[in-house]
Amino acid sequence: MQQPYIKYIAIAIIVLTTTIGCTKKEYKIPTPKDTLQNDCIKRTQGPNIVGQTIEFAYAMAILAEKGNLTNAKVEATMEGDAGTWMENKSYYTNNSGVDVGISVGNASVTAKNVTSVAFNKDTNAATLRYYYVIPEAARGQSVSFTFSAESSNGETVSFKMGPYTIAKMDMKKNITLTDGGLMYLSIADMTAYNATDAAAKAASIDLVYLYRNITTSAYNFALVSPAADAQYLPGVTLPGGVTRSTYERRVVNLQDFNLAQMQYGIYIDDLDFQQLNMTNEPNYAINLKQEAGVWVETADHKYRAYVYFNTASTSTKNAVVSMKRYAL
Amino acid sequence: MKKLIISALIVLSAFSCSKDHPIDDDGLLITPRQECYVSNFELLGADYLTVLTKQPVIDTTAQTVSVIVQFGTDLKNLFPQFTLASDCKLDPRIVGKVDFSDLANPKEYTVISGNRQISKTYKVLITVQPR
């Protein structure tokens, strides 16, 4: 490139940079809209499971000189289960990072699919939390919500959330398993039984829990099908009729958020169960430990499940497991 | 300037068309290397953790890889991993889970040297740790 051109381009760049770079835009406090405003976020993440809660935070505000808030209301497309409610407190976070609630209205009233809070304080801005307990009727369906607020000057405003798909799967947390006691696990019932009860429910017993400290091999905690080879059930005499063979696959590092009840951000959803291929899998899972898990498919192909070990104690030989289960 | 660009294009075209680096049917480079052996072996379970209880014994004369796997290992769903001498390739290729449950008929894998002139077939001999 010729020398004079470079010179001109350089000058042009400097002039442009100086002009644009030195422009000072004065910050202006935004002018608030003078009508009743609202906004909403969904606070819970992951799959929406029957019996669990979906939490929202609904914010509403009006200029003080225009009036105050009189009523907040949520209308769900399907009636929530018992325990559905809306907070009558508006929260702020104090200097210690703690959310402090201040009562701004009467306790919420839920009539069928509508939950409402009537404000009883002179409030012109509030954020109320709404907890919707997912009913059995919503399984596999979708649910939407319409949040609305009213102010003393007669204005109304609303905000739609959803639709949210409700998972088909079930979940049961914290099932205690004891070696020699509650060691017979039924996926259909999502319950652990002792030998006597297992004999009475033999047709629904899918897994046998046991702990063995074997020095020659790594056995440890195990979930074994009743029909598995006897070498995987050392010292176990099965109750009469307990003979099912369950497909199993041991997994590590799959700490589902709902099951683990810890900080992990992994969620097992319906899709995982739908895409699971358990053909050719064994009917035992040994050498399990705390935070390990087992994918399971029952012998009759009615259920797929993920059983997660919350705790596993070598001293007590007990374990606490949680389960997500999907009906095929 | 024009001349310079044209010259560069000519040189680039000449190099790109040279056939000094032949490739095989799998699109892999054929090199002059003659080494042909397995240098390491690993076996992972369906949970992607090793199932071996100790280091594998690789006999390059007898052409065997002997391993002991943990008690309770699901032999039908294993992921073998071979480490080979430089530029070698493996036949058959490993594309997913492998069924090693037929212990009487060990799986065989052929290592082919970098120059594709030498091949050696290794047997994978599995012993399950007793309980």
Side-chain angles (χ1 to χ4, degrees):
Chain A
M1 198 175 276
Q2 304 263 332
Q3 198 76 352
Y5 290 122
I6 293 172
K7 209 175 177 182
Y8 293 137
I9 290 169
I11 291 166
I13 289 170
I14 290 165
V15 170
L16 275 173
T17 314
T18 317
T19 317
I20 297 166
C22 292
T23 307
K24 274 193 177 178
K25 283 183 183 172
E26 288 295 328
Y27 176 74
K28 284 182 183 173
I29 296 170
T31 312
K33 291 179 183 173
D34 61 356
T35 55
L36 179 62
Q37 302 292 306
N38 71 161
D39 200 354
C40 190
I41 57 165
K42 181 172 177 279
R43 297 194 80 217
T44 43
Q45 294 179 317
N48 306 305
I49 304 168
V50 171
Q52 301 298 302
T53 301
I54 307 178
E55 182 184 341
F56 297 90
Y58 179 54
M60 62 223 98
I62 187 168
L63 290 175
E65 59 267 29
K66 290 275 182 180
N68 54 29
L69 301 169
T70 57
N71 189 49
K73 189 172 76 176
V74 191
E75 185 173 350
T77 51
M78 197 176 291
E79 186 180 340
D81 220 342
T84 295
W85 69 298
M86 194 176 205
E87 289 230 29
N88 59 343
K89 289 177 179 172
S90 186
Y91 286 85
Y92 74 93
T93 306
N94 68 10
N95 291 337
S96 308
V98 179
D99 284 353
V100 180
I102 295 178
S103 178
V104 292
N106 300 326
S108 66
V109 176
T110 299
K112 293 195 172 178
N113 61 330
V114 178
T115 302
S116 59
V117 167
F119 286 84
N120 58 13
K121 298 277 170 65
D122 185 6
T123 308
N124 68 306
T127 299
L128 303 184
R129 294 178 187 180
Y130 171 63
Y131 306 90
Y132 177 79
V133 181
I134 303 168
E136 177 61 40
R139 188 185 299 279
Q141 312 287 314
S142 61
V143 183
S144 300
F145 302 88
T146 304
F147 292 80
S148 59
E150 284 176 34
S151 57
S152 57
N153 63 349
E155 285 186 62
T156 58
V157 70
S158 66
F159 202 102
K160 283 191 183 296
M161 295 292 282
Y164 302 103
T165 302
I166 307 303
K168 277 181 70 183
M169 65 183 165
D170 290 294
M171 179 167 70
K172 186 157 184 188
K173 295 179 191 174
N174 305 329
I175 304 166
T176 300
L177 301 173
T178 56
D179 186 26
L182 297 167
M183 58 188 288
Y184 300 97
L185 187 61
S186 166
I187 301 295
D189 300 347
M190 295 203 288
T191 306
Y193 298 105
N194 60 24
T196 310
D197 293 339
K201 292 176 168 284
S204 66
I205 301 300
D206 301 292
L207 299 167
V208 181
Y209 163 78
L210 61 163
Y211 169 76
R212 296 289 182 272
N213 183 14
I214 297 172
T215 52
T216 51
S217 64
Y219 190 93
N220 298 317
F221 298 91
L223 284 174
V224 180
S225 288
D229 193 297
Q231 66 177 328
Y232 301 117
L233 290 163
V236 174
T237 305
L238 294 168
V242 175
T243 56
R244 300 188 92 186
S245 184
T246 310
Y247 301 94
E248 294 182 66
R249 186 192 303 161
R250 189 180 69 170
V251 188
V252 290
N253 295 327
L254 181 52
Q255 296 102 331
D256 175 85
F257 182 88
N258 299 121
L259 301 180
Q261 303 156 64
M262 294 169 83
Q263 75 279 14
Y264 303 108
I266 304 169
Y267 293 92
I268 293 172
D269 208 339
D270 284 356
L271 189 66
D272 298 296
F273 291 110
Q274 288 160 9
Q275 294 184 346
L276 191 65
N277 182 0
M278 294 293 283
T279 48
N280 223 19
E281 296 292 345
N283 58 0
Y284 58 88
I286 67 168
N287 197 15
L288 298 167
K289 58 183 180 178
Q290 187 169 318
E291 295 194 29
V294 182
W295 288 109
V296 174
E297 184 171 326
T298 57
D300 53 12
H301 304 287
K302 277 189 178 175
Y303 297 104
R304 285 179 183 158
Y306 181 69
V307 182
Y308 175 81
F309 275 70
N310 297 90
T311 62
S313 166
T314 53
S315 56
T316 63
K317 300 183 180 181
N318 296 344
V320 174
V321 298
S322 296
M323 184 192 306
K324 276 184 175 178
R325 183 195 68 174
Y326 183 84
L328 296 169
Chain B
M1 184 63 107
K2 260 185 186 175
K3 280 181 184 173
L4 188 69
I5 294 168
I6 291 165
S7 313
L9 282 173
I10 291 167
V11 171
L12 278 174
S13 314
F15 273 105
S16 64
C17 293
S18 69
K19 288 191 175 179
D20 291 343
H21 303 290
I23 55 170
D24 66 10
D25 295 340
D26 293 326
L28 299 171
L29 200 64
I30 298 172
T31 69
R33 290 182 191 274
Q34 295 183 350
E35 294 88 353
C36 185
Y37 59 89
V38 173
S39 58
N40 199 11
F41 181 76
E42 179 60 279
L43 207 49
L44 303 179
D47 53 7
Y48 305 108
L49 296 180
T50 185
V51 295
L52 302 185
T53 58
K54 55 184 177 182
Q55 287 294 309
V57 177
I58 301 166
D59 188 332
T60 51
T61 310
Q63 291 169 208
T64 56
V65 176
S66 304
V67 293
I68 300 173
V69 300
Q70 293 165 355
F71 169 72
T73 297
D74 172 23
L75 298 174
K76 287 184 176 177
N77 297 294
L78 292 173
F79 296 98
Q81 290 180 341
F82 287 85
T83 306
L84 308 176
S86 294
D87 300 342
C88 289
K89 72 172 185 178
L90 196 68
D91 183 45
R93 283 182 289 184
I94 297 162
V95 292
K97 288 178 183 175
V98 179
D99 184 352
F100 284 93
S101 61
D102 187 359
L103 297 178
N105 297 296
K107 288 275 177 197
E108 294 186 353
Y109 289 89
T110 302
V111 184
I112 303 164
S113 64
N115 64 5
R116 305 293 183 259
Q117 303 298 308
I118 302 164
S119 63
K120 287 183 179 177
T121 301
Y122 281 72
K123 280 185 180 177
V124 179
L125 307 172
I126 293 179
T127 306
V128 179
Q129 179 190 36
R131 192 179 76 194

